[in-house]
Amino acid sequence: MRIVVLAFANFREILGKKREMEIKEGATIGDLLGELAAANQPFRVAAFDDSGALRDYVLIMVNRKRVSPALELSRPLQDGDELAIFPPLAGG
Amino acid sequence: MRIVVLAFANFREILGKKREMEIKEGATIGDLLGELAAANQPFRVAAFDDSGALRDYVLIMVNRKRVSPALELSRPLQDGDELAIFPPLAGG
Amino acid sequence: MIEITEEEIYLPEMIERARSKDAGAIVTFLGTVRDDGIEMLEVEAFREAALAELRAIEKEAMSRFSLKAVEVAHRTGSLAVGESIVAIVCSAGHRQEAFSGCRYIIDELKKRAPLWKKERGVRGERWVGHDEPAGK
Amino acid sequence: MIEITEEEIYLPEMIERARSKDAGAIVTFLGTVRDDGIEMLEVEAFREAALAELRAIEKEAMSRFSLKAVEVAHRTGSLAVGESIVAIVCSAGHRQEAFSGCRYIIDELKKRAPLWKKERGVRGERWVGHDEPAGK
């Protein structure tokens, strides 16, 4: 299935603003982040700590709704989902 | 001695904006208000209650400093003083 | 700049004067004539005393809230519904200070500056803020 | 009107749109680029998500504080020191509501709207609001 991945701020600088990824049916949010990390060393270092846990400042939206990385990394994605990766907000 | 009397808002409508008054040496704030009341019936009714006490909403400044009518009516005026009479403030 | 003026208040210029390199926040309060059955609002000032009081309030606000700049303009004369009665602009390093400073200035202005408003409208005329004296 | 724009923010028009017969108070917040050794500020938005969040915040503020009108403009792109990053205008019947509404919107915008700022200055570059990831 196809997932649109958006990245902002420092994650945009590492991953680019937008890409489409093909991942296997039933893959979770955690699976997708793992694939990105495996393919991109700077993203792995920026997003994951030494024990492999997602750093606190990595924020995720799926279809423009915030998801809790602590609770929802195991949530399966759907074909056509849009996943956005960004650091803590700092507008205004 | 000569006192400049300024009036604002409803008191301006009754007394006019500015007048100079000649009062006797040593006259107090209360004396001056009494003279104004004696000469001007609408002012007397607007400024004093039936017992002859100054109404709460009459505010007084002498030389652009607020004076407390409750405490300072017996304060003597000086030649050249400017006395202003007005109702509660309502700017902004 | 502090002013009491018969001319229309021009807020954009006040905001531009308050803008500065060391300010991160500019908060503006604009008081306008609200239509409560009013046709005109007459605003009257004890001009010299009001300017002195506004300068004192400005000084207090500058030091209490570390403001970078303060602008105050209060209109006098005849105003129509929707027109600006008063404009206050405060700039500060951070937004808390700019909000608190602007709020302080309008609250103190209303309490302390010798200014009065008379509403002229469908229900006749009245001076705002106090009951009509018995004699009127 | 809610907008996220690459163009310079023109506050006077926003204030005029917020002015109305039933409003007695218009409070404006303007966030500007403060010179903390900064040369430029880059502002980035997740545009569609930020617009949706700002519309939600506007709706909350309108009903909580009985606002008559809300205007929000957030700039994106490269900004110089002194330029406006964000402008918020709230009109209400009375000043308490207008101040509270404006304060609420900027506080919630900063917490909830997906927007980011990168400072470029004498000490190099940094994204505002979080420590640099170890890999950068």
Side-chain angles (χ1 to χ4, degrees), chain C residues 56-106:
Chain C
I57 294 167
E58 174 194 32
K59 210 173 152 188
E60 293 160 16
M62 294 282 289
S63 79
R64 281 192 202 198
F65 304 104
S66 305
L67 302 179
K68 306 296 183 188
V70 168
E71 295 276 327
V72 180
H74 202 291
R75 183 90 182 270
T76 56
S78 283
L79 279 70
V81 167
E83 282 197 270
S84 301
I85 306 166
V86 61
I88 296 166
V89 182
C90 291
S91 63
H94 299 275
R95 71 187 187 281
Q96 293 81 353
E97 302 158 340
F99 271 109
S100 300
C102 193
R103 187 71 197 257
Y104 179 81
I105 293 172
I106 183 61

Short mmCIF file of all heavy atoms in Angstrom, two decimals, chain C residues 56-106:
data_model
loop_
_atom_site.label_atom_id
_atom_site.label_comp_id
_atom_site.label_asym_id
_atom_site.label_seq_id
_atom_site.Cartn_x
_atom_site.Cartn_y
_atom_site.Cartn_z
N ALA C 56 1.66 59.88 33.58
CA ALA C 56 1.98 59.15 34.81
C ALA C 56 1.68 57.65 34.63
O ALA C 56 2.48 56.79 35.01
CB ALA C 56 1.19 59.72 35.99
N ILE C 57 0.54 57.35 34.02
CA ILE C 57 0.15 55.95 33.79
C ILE C 57 1.15 55.28 32.85
O ILE C 57 1.57 54.14 33.06
CB ILE C 57 -1.29 55.87 33.21
CG1 ILE C 57 -2.30 56.36 34.26
CG2 ILE C 57 -1.61 54.46 32.75
CD1 ILE C 57 -3.71 56.62 33.69
N GLU C 58 1.54 55.99 31.80
CA GLU C 58 2.54 55.46 30.86
C GLU C 58 3.84 55.08 31.59
O GLU C 58 4.39 54.00 31.39
CB GLU C 58 2.86 56.51 29.78
CG GLU C 58 4.00 56.10 28.85
CD GLU C 58 4.52 57.28 28.02
OE1 GLU C 58 4.50 58.45 28.50
OE2 GLU C 58 4.95 57.03 26.88
N LYS C 59 4.29 55.99 32.45
CA LYS C 59 5.55 55.77 33.18
C LYS C 59 5.44 54.53 34.09
O LYS C 59 6.35 53.70 34.13
CB LYS C 59 5.83 57.02 34.02
CG LYS C 59 7.30 57.28 34.24
CD LYS C 59 7.52 58.63 34.92
CE LYS C 59 8.80 58.57 35.73
NZ LYS C 59 8.95 59.78 36.58
N GLU C 60 4.32 54.42 34.78
CA GLU C 60 4.10 53.24 35.64
C GLU C 60 4.13 51.96 34.81
O GLU C 60 4.76 50.97 35.18
CB GLU C 60 2.73 53.34 36.34
CG GLU C 60 2.63 54.46 37.36
CD GLU C 60 1.19 54.86 37.66
OE1 GLU C 60 0.25 54.08 37.31
OE2 GLU C 60 0.98 55.96 38.21
N ALA C 61 3.42 51.97 33.69
CA ALA C 61 3.32 50.77 32.85
C ALA C 61 4.69 50.40 32.27
O ALA C 61 5.06 49.22 32.24
CB ALA C 61 2.31 50.98 31.73
N MET C 62 5.43 51.41 31.80
CA MET C 62 6.76 51.15 31.23
C MET C 62 7.63 50.39 32.24
O MET C 62 8.29 49.41 31.89
CB MET C 62 7.48 52.46 30.87
CG MET C 62 6.86 53.28 29.77
SD MET C 62 7.18 52.73 28.06
CE MET C 62 8.91 53.13 27.86
N SER C 63 7.63 50.86 33.50
CA SER C 63 8.56 50.26 34.45
C SER C 63 8.00 48.94 35.01
O SER C 63 8.74 47.98 35.17
CB SER C 63 8.94 51.25 35.54
OG SER C 63 7.93 51.32 36.49
N ARG C 64 6.68 48.87 35.26
CA ARG C 64 6.13 47.62 35.80
C ARG C 64 6.21 46.46 34.85
O ARG C 64 6.34 45.30 35.26
CB ARG C 64 4.63 47.78 36.12
CG ARG C 64 4.39 48.50 37.40
CD ARG C 64 2.94 48.38 37.80
NE ARG C 64 2.61 49.46 38.70
CZ ARG C 64 1.57 49.48 39.49
NH1 ARG C 64 0.71 48.48 39.48
NH2 ARG C 64 1.34 50.49 40.28
N PHE C 65 6.03 46.73 33.55
CA PHE C 65 5.92 45.64 32.58
C PHE C 65 7.07 45.63 31.57
O PHE C 65 6.99 44.97 30.55
CB PHE C 65 4.56 45.71 31.88
CG PHE C 65 3.41 45.70 32.84
CD1 PHE C 65 2.71 46.86 33.13
CD2 PHE C 65 3.05 44.53 33.51
CE1 PHE C 65 1.66 46.86 34.04
CE2 PHE C 65 2.01 44.52 34.43
CZ PHE C 65 1.31 45.69 34.70
N SER C 66 8.13 46.39 31.89
CA SER C 66 9.31 46.44 31.01
C SER C 66 8.94 46.69 29.56
O SER C 66 9.41 45.99 28.65
CB SER C 66 10.09 45.11 31.09
OG SER C 66 10.43 44.83 32.41
N LEU C 67 8.07 47.65 29.34
CA LEU C 67 7.64 47.93 27.97
C LEU C 67 8.75 48.64 27.20
O LEU C 67 9.57 49.35 27.79
CB LEU C 67 6.36 48.78 27.98
CG LEU C 67 5.18 48.16 28.73
CD1 LEU C 67 3.98 49.11 28.69
CD2 LEU C 67 4.79 46.81 28.16
N LYS C 68 8.78 48.44 25.90
CA LYS C 68 9.75 49.11 25.04
C LYS C 68 9.17 50.43 24.54
O LYS C 68 9.91 51.38 24.31
CB LYS C 68 10.10 48.24 23.84
CG LYS C 68 10.59 46.84 24.18
CD LYS C 68 11.91 46.85 24.94
CE LYS C 68 12.40 45.43 25.19
NZ LYS C 68 13.56 45.42 26.08
N ALA C 69 7.87 50.46 24.30
CA ALA C 69 7.24 51.69 23.80
C ALA C 69 5.77 51.69 24.18
O ALA C 69 5.15 50.63 24.27
CB ALA C 69 7.39 51.79 22.29
N VAL C 70 5.25 52.89 24.39
CA VAL C 70 3.82 53.07 24.68
C VAL C 70 3.30 54.20 23.79
O VAL C 70 3.96 55.23 23.65
CB VAL C 70 3.59 53.42 26.16
CG1 VAL C 70 2.15 53.89 26.40
CG2 VAL C 70 3.91 52.24 27.06
N GLU C 71 2.14 53.99 23.20
CA GLU C 71 1.45 55.03 22.44
C GLU C 71 0.02 55.10 22.95
O GLU C 71 -0.64 54.07 23.09
CB GLU C 71 1.38 54.64 20.95
CG GLU C 71 2.72 54.56 20.26
CD GLU C 71 3.18 55.93 19.78
OE1 GLU C 71 2.33 56.75 19.41
OE2 GLU C 71 4.41 56.18 19.79
N VAL C 72 -0.44 56.31 23.24
CA VAL C 72 -1.84 56.48 23.66
C VAL C 72 -2.43 57.66 22.89
O VAL C 72 -1.81 58.72 22.81
CB VAL C 72 -1.97 56.78 25.17
CG1 VAL C 72 -3.45 56.94 25.56
CG2 VAL C 72 -1.33 55.68 26.02
N ALA C 73 -3.61 57.46 22.32
CA ALA C 73 -4.34 58.58 21.71
C ALA C 73 -5.79 58.50 22.17
O ALA C 73 -6.41 57.43 22.10
CB ALA C 73 -4.28 58.51 20.19
N HIS C 74 -6.30 59.61 22.71
CA HIS C 74 -7.71 59.66 23.12
C HIS C 74 -8.39 60.76 22.34
O HIS C 74 -7.91 61.87 22.28
CB HIS C 74 -7.84 59.92 24.63
CG HIS C 74 -9.16 59.47 25.18
ND1 HIS C 74 -10.36 60.08 24.87
CD2 HIS C 74 -9.47 58.46 26.03
CE1 HIS C 74 -11.35 59.45 25.51
NE2 HIS C 74 -10.83 58.46 26.21
N ARG C 75 -9.49 60.42 21.73
CA ARG C 75 -10.25 61.34 20.91
C ARG C 75 -11.18 62.18 21.76
O ARG C 75 -11.70 61.69 22.77
CB ARG C 75 -11.07 60.48 19.94
CG ARG C 75 -11.89 61.23 18.93
CD ARG C 75 -11.10 61.47 17.69
NE ARG C 75 -11.90 62.23 16.75
CZ ARG C 75 -12.72 61.70 15.83
NH1 ARG C 75 -12.82 60.40 15.72
NH2 ARG C 75 -13.42 62.48 15.03
N THR C 76 -11.41 63.42 21.36
CA THR C 76 -12.47 64.24 21.96
C THR C 76 -13.37 64.74 20.84
O THR C 76 -13.02 64.67 19.67
CB THR C 76 -11.90 65.45 22.73
OG1 THR C 76 -11.09 66.22 21.85
CG2 THR C 76 -11.08 65.02 23.93
N GLY C 77 -14.54 65.25 21.23
CA GLY C 77 -15.47 65.79 20.25
C GLY C 77 -16.58 64.80 19.93
O GLY C 77 -16.85 63.90 20.72
N SER C 78 -17.22 64.99 18.77
CA SER C 78 -18.38 64.18 18.38
C SER C 78 -17.96 62.96 17.59
O SER C 78 -17.32 63.09 16.55
CB SER C 78 -19.30 65.01 17.48
OG SER C 78 -20.04 65.90 18.25
N LEU C 79 -18.34 61.78 18.06
CA LEU C 79 -17.96 60.55 17.38
C LEU C 79 -19.19 59.76 16.96
O LEU C 79 -20.17 59.67 17.71
CB LEU C 79 -17.13 59.66 18.31
CG LEU C 79 -15.63 59.99 18.46
CD1 LEU C 79 -15.42 61.28 19.22
CD2 LEU C 79 -14.93 58.85 19.17
N ALA C 80 -19.12 59.16 15.78
CA ALA C 80 -20.21 58.32 15.29
C ALA C 80 -19.98 56.86 15.71
O ALA C 80 -18.86 56.49 16.08
CB ALA C 80 -20.29 58.41 13.77
N VAL C 81 -21.03 56.06 15.63
CA VAL C 81 -20.93 54.63 15.92
C VAL C 81 -19.82 54.00 15.07
O VAL C 81 -19.72 54.28 13.89
CB VAL C 81 -22.28 53.94 15.67
CG1 VAL C 81 -22.14 52.42 15.66
CG2 VAL C 81 -23.29 54.36 16.73
N GLY C 82 -18.98 53.19 15.72
CA GLY C 82 -17.88 52.50 15.02
C GLY C 82 -16.57 53.26 15.06
O GLY C 82 -15.51 52.67 14.85
N GLU C 83 -16.60 54.56 15.35
CA GLU C 83 -15.35 55.33 15.37
C GLU C 83 -14.52 55.00 16.62
O GLU C 83 -15.05 54.56 17.64
CB GLU C 83 -15.65 56.83 15.33
CG GLU C 83 -16.00 57.34 13.94
CD GLU C 83 -15.89 58.86 13.86
OE1 GLU C 83 -16.90 59.53 14.14
OE2 GLU C 83 -14.82 59.37 13.53
N SER C 84 -13.22 55.26 16.53
CA SER C 84 -12.30 54.97 17.63
C SER C 84 -12.32 56.09 18.67
O SER C 84 -12.12 57.25 18.33
CB SER C 84 -10.88 54.82 17.11
OG SER C 84 -10.83 53.77 16.18
N ILE C 85 -12.52 55.71 19.93
CA ILE C 85 -12.48 56.67 21.05
C ILE C 85 -11.06 56.75 21.60
O ILE C 85 -10.57 57.82 21.93
CB ILE C 85 -13.41 56.20 22.19
CG1 ILE C 85 -14.83 55.94 21.69
CG2 ILE C 85 -13.41 57.22 23.34
CD1 ILE C 85 -15.69 55.15 22.67
N VAL C 86 -10.44 55.59 21.75
CA VAL C 86 -9.11 55.55 22.36
C VAL C 86 -8.30 54.43 21.71
O VAL C 86 -8.85 53.40 21.35
CB VAL C 86 -9.23 55.34 23.89
CG1 VAL C 86 -9.93 54.04 24.22
CG2 VAL C 86 -7.88 55.42 24.58
N ALA C 87 -7.01 54.66 21.56
CA ALA C 87 -6.11 53.62 21.06
C ALA C 87 -4.88 53.58 21.96
O ALA C 87 -4.33 54.63 22.32
CB ALA C 87 -5.70 53.90 19.62
N ILE C 88 -4.48 52.37 22.34
CA ILE C 88 -3.30 52.17 23.19
C ILE C 88 -2.45 51.10 22.54
O ILE C 88 -2.96 50.05 22.15
CB ILE C 88 -3.73 51.72 24.60
CG1 ILE C 88 -4.55 52.82 25.26
CG2 ILE C 88 -2.52 51.34 25.46
CD1 ILE C 88 -5.29 52.37 26.50
N VAL C 89 -1.17 51.37 22.39
CA VAL C 89 -0.25 50.39 21.79
C VAL C 89 0.92 50.19 22.75
O VAL C 89 1.52 51.17 23.19
CB VAL C 89 0.28 50.88 20.42
CG1 VAL C 89 1.20 49.83 19.80
CG2 VAL C 89 -0.87 51.23 19.48
N CYS C 90 1.22 48.94 23.08
CA CYS C 90 2.36 48.63 23.95
C CYS C 90 3.24 47.60 23.27
O CYS C 90 2.75 46.55 22.85
CB CYS C 90 1.88 47.99 25.25
SG CYS C 90 1.00 49.13 26.30
N SER C 91 4.53 47.88 23.20
CA SER C 91 5.45 46.86 22.71
C SER C 91 6.36 46.41 23.84
O SER C 91 6.66 47.17 24.77
CB SER C 91 6.27 47.36 21.52
OG SER C 91 7.09 48.43 21.92
N ALA C 92 6.75 45.13 23.78
CA ALA C 92 7.58 44.55 24.84
C ALA C 92 8.37 43.40 24.24
O ALA C 92 8.11 42.98 23.11
CB ALA C 92 6.70 44.04 25.98
N GLY C 93 9.32 42.89 25.01
CA GLY C 93 10.09 41.74 24.54
C GLY C 93 9.19 40.54 24.32
O GLY C 93 9.29 39.85 23.30
N HIS C 94 8.26 40.31 25.27
CA HIS C 94 7.43 39.12 25.22
C HIS C 94 5.96 39.46 25.40
O HIS C 94 5.62 40.51 25.91
CB HIS C 94 7.88 38.15 26.31
CG HIS C 94 9.31 37.71 26.13
ND1 HIS C 94 9.66 36.68 25.31
CD2 HIS C 94 10.45 38.22 26.61
CE1 HIS C 94 10.99 36.54 25.30
NE2 HIS C 94 11.49 37.48 26.10
N ARG C 95 5.08 38.54 24.98
CA ARG C 95 3.68 38.89 24.90
C ARG C 95 3.00 39.11 26.24
O ARG C 95 2.10 39.93 26.35
CB ARG C 95 2.91 37.86 24.07
CG ARG C 95 2.71 36.49 24.70
CD ARG C 95 2.08 35.59 23.64
NE ARG C 95 1.68 34.28 24.12
CZ ARG C 95 2.49 33.26 24.32
NH1 ARG C 95 3.79 33.41 24.12
NH2 ARG C 95 2.01 32.09 24.73
N GLN C 96 3.45 38.38 27.29
CA GLN C 96 2.82 38.57 28.61
C GLN C 96 2.90 40.03 29.02
O GLN C 96 1.94 40.61 29.51
CB GLN C 96 3.49 37.71 29.68
CG GLN C 96 3.31 36.20 29.51
CD GLN C 96 4.28 35.60 28.50
OE1 GLN C 96 5.01 36.33 27.80
NE2 GLN C 96 4.27 34.28 28.38
N GLU C 97 4.09 40.62 28.85
CA GLU C 97 4.32 42.00 29.27
C GLU C 97 3.49 42.97 28.42
O GLU C 97 2.91 43.93 28.95
CB GLU C 97 5.81 42.34 29.10
CG GLU C 97 6.73 41.43 29.88
CD GLU C 97 8.16 41.41 29.32
OE1 GLU C 97 8.37 41.78 28.14
OE2 GLU C 97 9.07 41.01 30.08
N ALA C 98 3.45 42.71 27.13
CA ALA C 98 2.71 43.62 26.24
C ALA C 98 1.21 43.57 26.55
O ALA C 98 0.54 44.61 26.62
CB ALA C 98 2.97 43.26 24.78
N PHE C 99 0.67 42.36 26.78
CA PHE C 99 -0.75 42.25 27.14
C PHE C 99 -1.02 42.93 28.49
O PHE C 99 -1.96 43.71 28.62
CB PHE C 99 -1.18 40.77 27.24
CG PHE C 99 -1.68 40.18 25.95
CD1 PHE C 99 -0.93 39.24 25.25
CD2 PHE C 99 -2.91 40.54 25.42
CE1 PHE C 99 -1.37 38.69 24.06
CE2 PHE C 99 -3.38 39.99 24.23
CZ PHE C 99 -2.61 39.06 23.55
N SER C 100 -0.18 42.64 29.49
CA SER C 100 -0.42 43.20 30.83
C SER C 100 -0.30 44.72 30.82
O SER C 100 -1.08 45.41 31.47
CB SER C 100 0.58 42.62 31.83
OG SER C 100 0.44 41.22 31.89
N GLY C 101 0.68 45.23 30.08
CA GLY C 101 0.88 46.67 30.02
C GLY C 101 -0.30 47.38 29.37
O GLY C 101 -0.78 48.41 29.85
N CYS C 102 -0.80 46.80 28.29
CA CYS C 102 -1.91 47.42 27.56
C CYS C 102 -3.17 47.40 28.41
O CYS C 102 -3.90 48.38 28.51
CB CYS C 102 -2.11 46.68 26.24
SG CYS C 102 -3.17 47.52 25.08
N ARG C 103 -3.39 46.27 29.06
CA ARG C 103 -4.54 46.13 29.95
C ARG C 103 -4.45 47.12 31.11
O ARG C 103 -5.45 47.76 31.48
CB ARG C 103 -4.54 44.69 30.48
CG ARG C 103 -5.73 44.30 31.30
CD ARG C 103 -6.92 44.18 30.37
NE ARG C 103 -8.15 44.20 31.14
CZ ARG C 103 -8.88 43.12 31.40
NH1 ARG C 103 -8.53 41.95 30.95
NH2 ARG C 103 -9.98 43.21 32.10
N TYR C 104 -3.27 47.25 31.69
CA TYR C 104 -3.06 48.19 32.79
C TYR C 104 -3.39 49.62 32.37
O TYR C 104 -4.10 50.35 33.06
CB TYR C 104 -1.60 48.11 33.26
CG TYR C 104 -1.27 49.06 34.40
CD1 TYR C 104 -1.58 48.72 35.72
CD2 TYR C 104 -0.65 50.28 34.16
CE1 TYR C 104 -1.28 49.59 36.75
CE2 TYR C 104 -0.35 51.15 35.19
CZ TYR C 104 -0.67 50.80 36.49
OH TYR C 104 -0.39 51.67 37.52
N ILE C 105 -2.90 50.01 31.20
CA ILE C 105 -3.09 51.39 30.77
C ILE C 105 -4.57 51.70 30.53
O ILE C 105 -5.07 52.73 30.99
CB ILE C 105 -2.24 51.71 29.52
CG1 ILE C 105 -0.75 51.67 29.91
CG2 ILE C 105 -2.60 53.08 28.95
CD1 ILE C 105 0.21 51.78 28.73
N ILE C 106 -5.30 50.82 29.87
CA ILE C 106 -6.72 51.14 29.64
C ILE C 106 -7.50 51.12 30.96
O ILE C 106 -8.36 51.97 31.20
CB ILE C 106 -7.37 50.25 28.54
CG1 ILE C 106 -8.83 50.67 28.29
CG2 ILE C 106 -7.31 48.78 28.85
CD1 ILE C 106 -9.00 52.09 27.80
#
